[in-house]
Amino acid sequence: MSSITQRVDAVTAIPAPYRTAAPPPPRSVKIELTARCDLQCFYCATGYKLRQRADIDWDLLVRLLHEMRDAGVEEIGLFYLGESMLHPRLAEAIHVAKNQCGYPYVFLTTNGRLARPEKVRACMEAGLDSLKFSINAADPAQYKEVTRVDAFDTVIANLKAARAMRDAVLAETGHRCGLYASSILYDGEQRERMQRTVDDLLPYVDEHYFLPLYNQAGFTAGAHGTVPVAGNIGRVGALRDPLPCWAVFTEGHVTYDGKLAACCFDHDGRFDMGDLTTTPFLEAWNGAPFRALRAAHLTGDVRGTVCERCIAYQSGAA
């Protein structure tokens, strides 16, 4: 499995062994190095400041990385809701995951503003297997409108420089880090608007793909007059049904303060399924709260659960 879309689709498909209230350990987990972010994107609830913004305790990070690898996790994403390029020990965290814990696949998504060439090189030299840039605006004006930061040219320059860094590290060490980009389709016209930007980037990345606009668990439903989708239905080209939601079954999400979240967008802690500072990962993964939530998803009825608001948006009830 080499392409990023193959990996994404393998997770969002919910394989048969995972369609149970107590599934096997997830193959993939995202763990948040920091809750801080340097952008204020309208489509992301991070800008609402619904929780404290801080970095993960280093000892907790190292313990969880070892514990989850021992449990059978194969793919580790060193990011979640915050921007990991803000973390001062990002490259060291990658080294721990790859070289001390032995994860076969270590991946990272960034908004790209701080992904300067020297930082990208350090991450790749530490063993990073995949770096994806989120490019969610077609030009400088739209970027500033979307993110409230004037950094479009910086992000594009950083992505192009990352390709040079990737090729240099490959030549020097033999380690190849995949380089990717994704973009949100805000509406049907955005694909045409984005296509020129995407075409400019394609020579520099191994793959680009589009994502639908999510409502972020109901937090951003209707923001800027947009019409997001219900749930997290994967990527454009391989969309999934909103129920059962794959995020509840096939991928773990760990917040900077050690909570195991049942959602890709747990901006306020309501999806907390267990405190990993006191509870082992596998115990929380198949604990009573998670089992009950998964059982509801398997019936196709999440009314009365923490997922209701996200799924209800589909019928305009959010």
Side-chain angles (χ1 to χ4, degrees), residues 117-162:
E118 64 275 9
K119 183 171 291 187
V120 167
R121 172 184 274 272
C123 290
M124 292 178 176
E125 289 178 339
L128 187 65
D129 295 294
S130 168
L131 177 62
K132 189 190 78 168
F133 283 69
S134 291
I135 308 294
N136 296 319
D139 52 51
Q142 187 184 42
Y143 187 93
K144 189 172 183 179
E145 177 187 0
V146 169
T147 69
R148 302 186 186 126
V149 176
D150 186 6
F152 180 82
D153 292 337
T154 297
V155 171
I156 299 302
N158 283 343
L159 185 152
K160 292 180 177 180

Side-chain angles (χ1 to χ4, degrees), residues 110-276:
T110 177
N111 64 42
R113 192 180 76 87
L114 298 176
R116 302 182 184 93
E118 64 275 9
K119 183 171 291 187
V120 167
R121 172 184 274 272
C123 290
M124 292 178 176
E125 289 178 339
L128 187 65
D129 295 294
S130 168
L131 177 62
K132 189 190 78 168
F133 283 69
S134 291
I135 308 294
N136 296 319
D139 52 51
Q142 187 184 42
Y143 187 93
K144 189 172 183 179
E145 177 187 0
V146 169
T147 69
R148 302 186 186 126
V149 176
D150 186 6
F152 180 82
D153 292 337
T154 297
V155 171
I156 299 302
N158 283 343
L159 185 152
K160 292 180 177 180
R163 175 57 184 264
M165 288 298 100
R166 192 277 294 277
D167 294 347
V169 171
L170 174 62
E172 294 167 11
T173 70
H175 177 73
R176 184 182 189 279
C177 177
L179 189 59
Y180 309 101
S182 68
S183 305
I184 292 173
L185 282 177
Y186 304 115
D187 54 47
E189 296 178 357
Q190 180 65 10
R191 182 188 290 272
E192 296 180 11
R193 195 174 178 187
M194 280 294 303
Q195 198 59 54
R196 289 189 296 274
T197 298
V198 171
D199 289 344
D200 180 54
L201 297 178
L202 286 178
Y204 299 91
V205 298
D206 301 315
E207 194 172 5
H208 171 276
Y209 60 96
F210 282 103
L211 295 168
L213 179 64
Y214 305 123
N215 73 68
Q216 299 236 336
F219 285 112
T220 59
H224 278 216
T226 56
V227 182
V229 298
N232 186 331
I233 57 175
R235 67 175 181 89
V236 175
L239 298 178
R240 312 301 186 185
D241 292 332
L243 285 175
C245 179
W246 61 269
V248 182
F249 294 86
T250 58
E251 185 173 71
H253 301 88
V254 182
T255 61
Y256 81 94
D257 53 354
K259 302 300 193 299
L260 179 62
C263 182
C264 301
F265 308 116
D266 191 5
H267 290 281
D268 65 355
R270 84 168 93 131
F271 293 92
D272 179 6
M273 297 289 114
D275 186 351
L276 300 184

